[in-house]
Amino acid sequence: MTPFDYARPADRTEAVRMGAASDAAYLGGGTNIVDLMRERIARPTRLVDVSGLPGEIVETDGGGLLIGAAVRNTALAEHHIVRERYPVLARAILAGASAQVRNMATVGGNLLQRTRCTYFYDTDGSRCNKREPGSGCDAREGFNRIHAVLGASAACVATHPSDMCVALALLDATVHLDGPNGARTLAFGDLHRLPGDRPDRDTALEAGELVTAVELPPLPLAATSTYRKVRDRASYAFALVSVAAAVEMDADRIADVRIALGGVAHKPWRATRAEAVLRGGPATHQAFLDAAAAEFADAQPLSDNGFKPALASRTLAAVLAELTKGDAA
């Protein structure tokens, strides 16, 4: 591990000032950055510990929630308003990692965690454009069972690992930021980048910017929502595919629907094509499969992950049948 300085700022202003220094990194729960430093992927010369900054969950005037970046994942999943109004978020958090990790991990850190691609972590011989731009991508012709089938590029086929972020993509959350150039907000869908030819840039954050909060809009639709994760083992495994969905019914037709997918792309994937197919239509198994087919029409499976579109389609159909009590056959 590269030697580094440790700083614990007294407030957000001091944190941003410290974080603006060259080669500084913010430390929340440390559940990802410490691993990256241990593997010599991340080599900050200063860690700015923001875990002690105020972290609260506050109901907004409009009925939404403002969630401080320092809030622990467990606390967010257990919050009564989250469980009642945004069950998809509570279930997504509880599907991720172990209880011990959730007790340490922060909301802000969860948003910024990096891929778990094996080649990204193999610093002893694997080529990885995300780790070393321009070096190549061994995953494309290697063992790529967990990799992306949507939104990938010739430079990178890694997937985003977060469960929480899939739910936040569905909920149209807003990310609050502060940095050297002042405070700003960013739509959650604009936070994470597709790889293009710069897979080393995971997000749209500017240098030194700090996530200060995540805001959930008032969204009655979200009360009828859920999250389902398909993985190789029951605990502490990242998603092969996952589905977050929320549905509003009007008699036997789908009045409104939101869908986001995990495990299939470089960022949490909002399934807008599937939503368009379903909105206003019947809640039938065939309609669910047609929606999935529309979403995966441009999928580009690799040698080992050709099962993902079919698996995601079946999972989506099962989740929608559960939420609509529609035709599951």
Side-chain angles (χ1 to χ4, degrees), residues 63-226:
L65 279 184
L66 185 66
I67 305 159
V71 169
R72 305 289 176 170
N73 288 6
T74 295
L76 181 58
E78 292 179 348
H79 196 275
H80 69 281
I81 293 180
V82 174
R83 294 170 67 90
E84 293 168 5
R85 301 182 193 171
Y86 308 96
V88 63
L89 179 56
R91 292 169 186 170
I93 294 169
L94 294 174
S98 65
Q100 294 89 338
V101 171
R102 293 195 299 269
N103 289 343
M104 286 296 297
T106 63
V107 169
N110 191 294
L111 269 58
L112 303 181
Q113 63 180 299
R114 306 203 71 188
T115 185
R116 264 54 177 197
C117 173
T118 303
Y119 300 97
F120 175 70
Y121 275 89
D122 180 16
T123 58
D124 291 331
S126 293
R127 299 178 303 156
C128 174
N129 288 316
K130 181 176 283 296
R131 188 182 67 246
E132 297 180 15
S135 63
C137 176
D138 280 344
R140 292 196 63 88
E141 302 300 329
F143 183 65
N144 44 47
R145 185 169 181 269
I146 67 169
H147 289 74
V149 295
L150 293 172
S153 72
C156 184
V157 292
T159 52
H160 194 273
S162 173
D163 295 289
M164 177 193 290
C165 287
V166 181
L168 293 176
L170 174 130
L171 295 170
D172 283 337
T174 299
V175 182
H176 292 249
L177 305 168
D178 200 354
N181 296 320
R184 67 177 179 128
T185 59
L186 190 65
F188 190 84
D190 296 329
L191 174 64
H192 300 101
R193 300 178 67 255
L194 291 177
D197 59 0
R198 286 296 308 274
D200 56 305
R201 292 192 59 196
D202 291 337
T203 72
L205 265 63
E206 298 171 359
E209 278 195 309
L210 172 68
V211 176
T212 60
V214 175
E215 186 172 356
L216 303 183
L219 191 66
L221 174 73
T224 307
S225 64
T226 195

Side-chain angles (χ1 to χ4, degrees), residues 304-319:
D304 298 316
N305 67 0
F307 65 90
K308 280 198 174 188
L311 179 60
S313 297
R314 292 195 299 270
T315 305
L316 175 59
V319 167

Side-chain angles (χ1 to χ4, degrees), residues 7 13 20 31-32 44 58 61 65 88 90 113 120 158 174 179 204 235 240 243 252 266 277 305 311 313:
T13 300
T31 57
N32 188 212
V58 179
D61 291 340
L65 279 184
V88 63
Q113 63 180 299
F120 175 70
T174 299
S235 65
L240 292 172
V243 174
D252 61 348
H266 197 261
V277 170
N305 67 0
L311 179 60
S313 297

Side-chain angles (χ1 to χ4, degrees), residues 94-98 102 163 229-239:
L94 294 174
S98 65
R102 293 195 299 269
D163 295 289
K229 178 178 182 177
V230 182
R231 47 191 165 179
D232 284 325
R233 59 182 186 272
S235 65
Y236 207 62
F238 297 98

